[in-house]
């Protein structure tokens, strides 16, 4: 990594590796299922909006689509910048001199 905050990035990833296994597991689970609460909220808002105006129903129905579009845009933009990211390294792992 050739940018000014490489040391900070390495410190954070070293801290993550040093955390107890149960913390790592909880973080991995949240990363995988973190959007689930939003899905539940979307369903609840849609359920309430179906009795309201057509405009409220349309907004509630389109909110998940807007979130999906934002997610895809984020992925596309990130793929244009080959930087290391936790969980998605852009290059094979390499040994770190201590």
């Amino acid at each position: 990594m050739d940018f000014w905050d490489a040391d900070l990035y390495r410190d954070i990833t070293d801290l993550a590796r040093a955390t107890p296994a149960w913390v790592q597991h909880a973080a991995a689970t949240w990363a995988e299922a973190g959007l689930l609460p939003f899905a539940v909220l979307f369903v609840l808002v849609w359920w309430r909006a179906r009795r309201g105006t057509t405009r409220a129903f349309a907004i509630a129905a389109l909110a998940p689509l807007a979130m999906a579009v934002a997610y895809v845009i984020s992925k596309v933009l990130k793929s244009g910048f080959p930087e290391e990211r936790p969980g998605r390294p852009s290059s094979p792992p390499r040994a770190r001199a201590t």
Side-chain angles (χ1 to χ4, degrees):
M1 295 175 61
D2 298 327
F3 51 92
W4 62 272
D5 59 349
D7 289 333
L8 175 62
Y9 173 81
R10 299 266 186 232
D11 290 343
I12 292 170
T13 55
D14 288 345
L15 174 66
R17 277 189 212 98
T19 58
W22 68 270
V23 174
Q24 292 180 16
H25 179 69
T29 301
W30 177 255
E32 291 296 323
L35 293 178
L36 187 60
F38 290 107
V40 170
L41 287 174
F42 284 141
V43 169
L44 291 175
V45 168
W46 169 80
W47 189 258
R48 286 191 64 200
R50 67 187 177 85
R51 288 182 245 132
T53 64
T54 305
R55 181 177 186 275
F57 181 80
I59 291 170
L62 291 175
L65 178 62
M67 185 179 80
V69 169
Y71 178 78
V72 169
I73 290 171
S74 169
K75 285 291 194 183
V76 169
L77 288 175
K78 284 186 219 177
S79 69
F81 298 94
E83 295 180 3
E84 283 187 52
R85 289 185 177 81
R88 192 182 137 233
S90 59
S91 59
R94 55 191 154 122
R96 181 177 172 190
T98 55

